Amino acid sequence: MVITPRHESIAGLFGPTRIFRVPKYQRHYAWTAEEIDDLKADLGGSLKARKASQERPHFFGGLVTVARPHAGSATKLEVIDGQQRLATFVILVAQVINVMLELSTKLVADADGSLRKFLEDRAGTLRAQFLRLDDTVSLKVEDVARLELSKPDYLFFVQLIQGNNPDDAERTSHKLLKAAYVSLGKYITDLVAQESTDHQKVTQLANIAKVLEVDWTVIHMETTTVQHAYNLFQVLNDRGVGLTEGELLRAKTMEVLDAVATQEQLDRIEKCWDDILSEAPGRVEEVLRWIFASHTGKRPGKTTLYDEFLQHLIPTHPAVLTASQAAGLVTAVEDLGKDFKKIALMLDGQWPLSGHSTVTAWDRDRLGLLLRELKHTNCIPLLIAATALKQKTFSDIVQMLERFVFRYKSVSNAHIGPATNVYNKQAVAIRDAPSTYKISTLKADLQPLLLAHASDTRFTTALGELEYSTLASNKTIKYFLMTIEHYARWYQDGAKGPPVCKDKSRVLDFANTTLEHIYPQNSAPSDPHLNAVVQSLGNLTILGPTDNDAVGNKPFLQKKAVFAKSTISLNVRISSLAIWNVAAVNAWKEELKAMALKIFVV
């Protein structure tokens, strides 16, 4: 491996003719406010030293590049490592130029125009040094960017540096780029504003420019081949330190495909990785782990996700792929992207299967309740595999999981590990043979867990202990009562067969459904006996927003009329009671528990 390391100023790094390009397999912009604040602190320290005539060199970091062919007169360097600091430096220079040009229009004590001319000339020099270059291509002089980021960030970065204030910051990297631009712009503006006179302000900007040109240095490691550069890139990052697993997987797949894949294949896989990595890094890793478990039946190690993904799911070996192997790799990444999109839909409460639907809005709503209200994401490996099944089967699995996890985890508080193992095992079974998969196998695996960890006694005892809290969330109780309501008609008809919602035309809105104390929390007059059970499950029901306004803090005898006209069948039943006392509270709690034993089964 031939490496030419040089310690040089950033002005020396850019030189008179160098242009930098970030390749498609590099990660996107990722510096957060923390890194930007560190950069501002470094600039402040260097500026303070220079103003005191005590120049202080500052090591800005390392850069790994490889020379690439270029049709023009400029020297093109592909950035393998160091694009984060390089992009941030260019943003900083752009903002220094902006402040220089803005100040040049506001000078009041510049009779001969010398300060204005200095600022305009200095801004032009900085622009030529770090932002734009006149490149001669085929006897034509073209104005080209000194630094181009990879495709997802390219246009947004161009607009940002040109001061066009792009407002389509939808990607995480775009939001971070814009945040860096705004933060650094404000910092430079504040540095200048703290000076009193025009001359002092211009001097401040001159010192800032000198710091960036002279005082800040880098270690530039230039390699002779892409492979050498990529190997060095992996060593410097210790296979993941500072890089996410998703970014490393992108880099690896793009790198091995670069020499053998067609341009059409490269474009497809690049687009796929762009979509995957547009999510926040933490979410990307989480989804990768779910997908890995869905395929292999096991969770990857805490520090081995990258290696295990390459071993089991993304075929990047041998180092030189055949055309057939390259096509297989492209397909594998595209399948990964499809799973990412389906998981994103599910986490957003949306149905992941398209086409003619045999399920109702009520069925689809259960998925959102499972993942968002019960917050049960351990089952995602199973769900993503189950998207290969028919819509009705997928819906049945969602409802089975929903009833299971409420009883097993939400109420009985059993350890989720054994259930997660079942989900992963069933996910592999589906992927192995989706056309012959039977949901009865999932039922057979879940039932023993309920018997062992959420028996009838344990479940009903824990249900009886549920109470309304004035301090914490009461989502568990709300979900319970809403689900009981959906299955109430089936229960009243004899509870035959598996639980079925007999009126799917009605979808209760979880957010707008409220819990109501049947005996009010602040009753007037007060009943000391009912006060003792006011927060009990048996003293709670659900109401829509209109009914909630109507009952207010009224006593039971006045609420009866509202309950009798309610669309909630549970309230109609409560309205049939003549009085509401402690005995009625306890009896209603026992009735809810009896219904739960029939409904929350698999």
Side-chain angles (χ1 to χ4, degrees):
M1 181 185 298
V2 179
I3 303 174
T4 308
R6 291 187 297 274
H7 181 226
E8 54 191 353
S9 68
I10 299 185
L13 168 70
F14 277 79
T17 61
R18 282 181 178 158
I19 56 176
F20 297 89
R21 302 294 182 256
V22 177
K24 62 186 67 178
Y25 55 81
Q26 274 294 344
R27 66 169 169 172
H28 308 146
Y29 188 78
W31 271 22
T32 64
E34 182 177 1
E35 288 85 8
I36 299 302
D37 287 345
D38 288 343
L39 178 69
K40 291 188 292 189
D42 292 336
L43 177 56
S46 298
L47 187 60
K48 183 178 180 180
R50 178 161 283 279
K51 290 175 68 175
S53 299
Q54 299 173 350
E55 290 82 353
R56 186 182 71 176
H58 167 65
F59 177 57
F60 191 51
L63 190 74
V64 178
T65 66
V66 59
R68 302 293 278 166
H70 179 60
S73 58
T75 301
K76 177 181 175 182
L77 297 178
E78 199 166 85
V79 181
I80 306 303
D81 195 27
Q83 69 138 324
Q84 304 293 324
R85 60 182 62 90
L86 201 58
T88 309
F89 177 82
V90 170
I91 290 173
L92 176 58
V93 171
Q95 287 291 38
V96 171
I97 292 172
N98 288 340
V99 175
M100 283 181 168
L101 295 178
E102 183 179 1
L103 179 60
S104 71
T105 66
K106 297 179 180 179
L107 296 173
V108 293
D110 186 31
D112 60 357
S114 60
L115 293 179
R116 181 177 295 103
K117 185 176 187 308
F118 172 82
L119 288 172
E120 292 172 349
D121 289 348
R122 202 71 181 87
T125 299
L126 290 173
R127 181 184 185 279
Q129 280 184 304
F130 303 116
L131 301 191
R132 309 295 299 185
L133 175 71
D134 286 339
D135 186 18
T136 302
V137 182
S138 300
L139 300 180
K140 294 181 180 179
V141 177
E142 299 180 358
D143 180 38
V144 300
R146 284 284 198 159
L147 172 66
E148 286 185 1
L149 299 190
S150 57
K151 186 176 180 180
D153 293 338
Y154 168 71
L155 288 177
F156 190 87
F157 185 69
V158 169
Q159 294 292 313
L160 201 64
I161 298 306
Q162 291 178 348
N164 293 334
N165 191 29
D167 56 4
D168 56 341
E170 296 180 355
R171 300 178 62 90
T172 299
S173 58
H174 293 179
K175 293 176 182 177
L176 293 174
L177 281 166
K178 192 164 187 176
Y181 184 83
V182 172
S183 179
L184 291 173
K186 183 178 185 304
Y187 182 67
I188 299 301
T189 299
D190 291 346
L191 285 176
V192 173
Q194 70 187 16
E195 301 297 329
S196 301
T197 68
D198 286 345
H199 189 274
Q200 290 171 335
K201 292 177 180 180
V202 173
T203 301
Q204 179 83 302
L205 283 167
N207 284 332
I208 292 173
K210 190 61 68 175
V211 165
L212 301 183
E213 289 174 319
V214 178
D215 296 348
W216 284 14
T217 63
V218 296
I219 295 293
H220 179 202
M221 291 165 278
E222 187 176 345
T223 67
T224 55
T225 69
V226 173
Q227 185 61 50
H228 290 166
Y230 181 74
N231 291 341
L232 182 58
F233 160 75
Q234 286 188 303
V235 170
L236 290 174
N237 283 283
D238 192 24
R239 287 169 53 255
V241 177
L243 290 172
T244 68
E245 284 82 356
E247 289 161 341
L248 281 173
L249 288 170
R250 172 194 170 103
K252 182 63 176 177
T253 54
M254 295 297 295
E255 184 263 336
V256 298
L257 283 170
D258 195 50
V260 63
T262 66
Q263 187 58 51
E264 187 267 343
Q265 287 175 319
L266 289 173
D267 290 342
R268 283 163 49 196
I269 199 172
E270 181 183 9
K271 174 65 167 60
C272 189
W273 277 120
D274 288 347
D275 291 341
I276 290 172
L277 297 178
S278 65
E279 296 284 348
R283 173 51 57 85
V284 172
E285 179 182 344
E286 186 177 39
V287 174
L288 285 173
R289 291 182 177 279
W290 287 330
I291 293 174
F292 182 88
S294 181
H295 280 273
T296 66
K298 64 178 183 178
R299 285 163 286 184
K302 290 184 178 179
T303 60
T304 58
L305 177 61
Y306 170 75
D307 291 323
E308 292 189 71
F309 233 94
L310 290 181
Q311 179 182 355
H312 296 288
L313 298 185
I314 297 185
T316 58
H317 300 290
V320 179
L321 303 179
T322 64
S324 175
Q325 290 168 332
L329 176 54
V330 172
T331 299
V333 175
E334 288 182 329
D335 287 343
L336 182 66
K338 292 174 184 176
D339 281 353
F340 258 81
K341 290 179 179 178
K342 290 177 182 177
I343 291 175
L345 286 173
M346 290 191 287
L347 291 175
D348 195 39
Q350 299 183 53
W351 199 247
L353 283 74
S354 59
H356 178 69
S357 179
T358 57
V359 299
T360 67
W362 184 90
D363 296 305
R364 294 191 290 271
D365 187 57
R366 309 317 292 181
L367 178 61
L369 291 172
L370 172 64
L371 297 181
R372 302 176 76 180
E373 307 307 341
L374 294 180
K375 297 187 182 302
H376 189 57
T377 56
N378 292 61
C379 64
I380 286 182
L382 171 57
L383 292 179
I384 192 60
T387 59
L389 306 175
K390 294 180 179 179
Q391 301 233 20
K392 177 64 166 58
T393 306
F394 180 84
S395 178
D396 289 344
I397 288 175
V398 168
Q399 292 173 45
M400 182 182 292
L401 292 176
E402 181 195 355
R403 296 192 302 268
F404 168 81
V405 75
F406 179 79
R407 176 169 178 162
Y408 181 85
K409 180 62 180 175
S410 301
V411 175
S412 301
N413 198 30
H415 193 278
I416 202 62
T420 302
N421 292 337
V422 168
Y423 302 156
N424 294 345
K425 169 190 169 184
Q426 291 292 320
V428 173
I430 292 173
R431 288 188 182 275
D432 285 345
S435 62
T436 59
Y437 179 78
K438 302 295 183 183
I439 192 174
S440 57
T441 63
L442 174 61
K443 178 178 181 178
D445 278 354
L446 293 179
Q447 282 181 331
L449 295 183
L450 291 182
L451 289 173
H453 306 291
S455 64
D456 289 357
T457 300
R458 181 171 179 176
F459 178 49
T460 54
T461 299
L463 270 178
E465 294 171 352
L466 288 179
E467 289 192 343
Y468 183 90
S469 171
T470 57
L471 300 175
S473 168
N474 293 288
K475 281 188 173 184
T476 298
I477 296 176
K478 187 200 287 192
Y479 168 84
F480 171 69
L481 292 174
M482 289 176 66
T483 304
I484 290 290
E485 169 64 19
H486 281 302
Y487 291 99
R489 208 173 109 192
W490 167 82
Y491 179 80
Q492 294 300 321
D493 289 347
K496 297 177 182 178
V500 175
C501 174
K502 290 199 170 184
D503 182 11
K504 293 185 176 182
S505 64
R506 182 182 57 159
V507 180
L508 299 179
D509 184 355
F510 193 89
N512 289 320
T513 299
T514 60
L515 287 174
E516 172 70 14
H517 290 77
I518 302 170
Y519 167 76
Q521 292 187 87
N522 302 302
S523 179
S526 177
D527 183 330
H529 300 293
L530 282 172
N531 286 341
V533 294
V534 67
Q535 309 296 9
S536 166
L537 177 65
N539 189 49
L540 299 172
T541 189
I542 52 173
L543 293 174
T546 303
D547 288 346
N548 187 54
D549 293 339
V551 298
N553 208 36
K554 297 175 181 177
F556 175 71
L557 292 179
Q558 294 182 36
K559 288 182 178 181
K560 276 170 57 73
V562 178
F563 284 174
K565 297 178 182 179
S566 174
T567 59
I568 305 297
S569 66
L570 299 180
N571 294 336
V572 176
R573 291 184 60 193
I574 293 170
S575 73
S576 67
L577 299 175
I579 60 172
W580 190 256
N581 54 19
V582 173
V585 170
N586 291 332
W588 184 240
K589 180 165 67 173
E590 292 306 311
E591 176 70 3
L592 291 173
K593 288 161 62 175
M595 296 173 73
L597 279 179
K598 293 291 186 179
I599 294 169
F600 291 97
V601 296
V602 296

